[in-house]
Amino acid sequence: MTKPRFPTRSTIGDELLSAYLDGQVTAAERQRVEQALAADAGLRERYDALQMTVNLLQEAPPLRVPRAFVLSEAQVLAAGGKVRGAPQPGFFDRLFPRLMPLAAAASAILLIVLLSIDFLTGLGEGVAAPRLVAQKTEFAVVPVREEHASREMPAGAPAAAVIELSPEVGRTVVVDEEVARTALVEELAKRESEKTSPQAETVIRENAMMPISTPGAKNTATPRPATVIAKMSLEEASPAATPPAPVAEKMTADKAEPRLESAGASGEIHVTESIAPTPVVSQATPRRGDGRAWLRLAEFVLALLFIIFLAGALVLRRRKHTVAP
Amino acid sequence: MDELALVSAAKTGDLPAFNQLVLNYQSLAYNVAYRIVGEQDAAADATQDAFLKAYKALGSFRGKSFKPWLLRIVTNTCYDQLRAKKRKPTTNLDDALVNPEHSWRWLDPGERPEEYAERVELGRVLQQAIAQLPPEQRAVVVLSDIQGLTYDETAQATGVSLGTVKSRLSRARAKLRDYLQEQEELLPHRYRL
């Protein structure tokens, strides 16, 4: 423990001594302090040091001002003040500095919302895409592996489906059996439901003009870009449940749905279908793609607006703080 | 034109009238700001900001005395600066020293150079001592003991009660006394406690 600087028995504190020094005490307090000072050398020493400190503070030399702090019109106007005789800023001049940060914030919020929507719908599409594409387009997204069109499926291969594409495509896509079966069943159901729609009728009418596609004659048929011949090999295909021999039927206007045919003993199921490329492909993705394109455009515009508003706000703020005196 | 007439004119947007008030008080405002923030550049910024704020806030001036009203704006601006500095601390050694170009004012034309030098040294040591105090005590001791404001004016300028001024002032003085006694060798001979 350190030795007290001013050993004293007095109960008079620094606050009363300080007030006494400034003459800010009552008559009773003054009398009490003076009696204590007369009787206590330690208290007197403390008081003297306090008085000396105040004297030093009063002697502290003032600094010269580095410059004049007079205000200029520009300074006052930039800070939103008014000056008599000076042209007052117009409505938009006053509005803009306040509007810019708000607009930047609003565009940022909207941008975040749009990006969230984009991200979430993108996730959804990511899950749904393989099935959609397997049903509708030549370039299936679901293949487990790809093989050349001429390659034969080995006998006793595990349950798998082979979808042969047109000669122009020139490849065979091997997909998981379950996926192919689901795709075919869904396609059949969808065709059934679309039978009466005008678009389906158009497809059907176009299909009716196409050459017959059969498993045996597929290479001799006139190759058409959008003709898809799907051929599914199933090891476990039951002969009892399917016709004994391959059947190829010409598709007519009233029978335009894809057909699931069994090879019976060969264990093959043939699905023969002619699909006009444009209508079918355009059913699969275009509407969603258009929406996405608009979304992207909106995101781009909002990002641009955000940058413009933010830059404007920063420039106005900077100008406000750097107006020359 | 007296002070209140200048204030009235400035309230109507008469900038030259306000600038007359600026010229009258800029030394006081700058010195208070320097003692509180402890750096010359920061003090100049605070002083300029305070005058600008004062001009814009003149409509709210209802008192009889312009000085404590203005000094309240100055001290509040200094507190803002200290808070900002606390958030973004920067070490500028140049600021810790007094720029010779803005040196101490020569108070008395008859003062001898060595006396002036001693007084400058005293000012430096006092600034170190004041910098040890919390900002609230700093403001009170600067206004009351260095600038010579009365307790009432100090209370108005700091926005606290008279009792608070007394207690802050006594605590600040006691701390300064202890500091100056500990650092006695730094003080010029004739100023030692």
Side-chain angles (χ1 to χ4, degrees), chain A residues 5-6 14-15 18 22 46 52-53 56 58-59 61-64 67 69 71 76 79 82 84, chain B residues 12-13 19 26 31 34-35 48 55-56 103-105 119 126 145 151 170 173 177 181 191 193:
Chain A
R5 195 183 303 274
F6 306 108
D14 282 328
E15 188 166 342
S18 174
D22 293 330
R46 201 170 76 189
M52 186 67 177
T53 302
L56 285 182
Q58 287 167 351
E59 291 228 13
L63 275 175
R64 263 204 316 251
R67 58 184 162 90
F69 292 104
L71 303 179
V76 173
K82 291 178 181 173
R84 198 167 60 197
Chain B
T12 64
N19 279 336
Q26 64 181 6
N31 274 281
Y34 171 69
R35 293 296 182 192
Q48 189 70 77
Y55 181 77
K56 286 175 70 183
S103 66
W104 309 101
R105 209 167 58 194
R119 212 158 47 78
L126 283 178
D145 284 347
Y151 277 24
S170 69
R173 281 171 173 174
R177 174 194 63 201
Q181 284 192 323
Y191 293 115
L193 299 182

Side-chain angles (χ1 to χ4, degrees), chain B residues 13-45:
Chain B
D14 186 346
L15 191 56
F18 183 78
N19 279 336
Q20 187 57 53
L21 289 167
V22 171
L23 292 173
N24 293 350
Y25 285 107
Q26 64 181 6
S27 178
L28 171 65
Y30 174 71
N31 274 281
V32 167
Y34 171 69
R35 293 296 182 192
I36 295 176
V37 298
E39 292 172 7
Q40 293 188 73
D41 289 344
D45 290 346

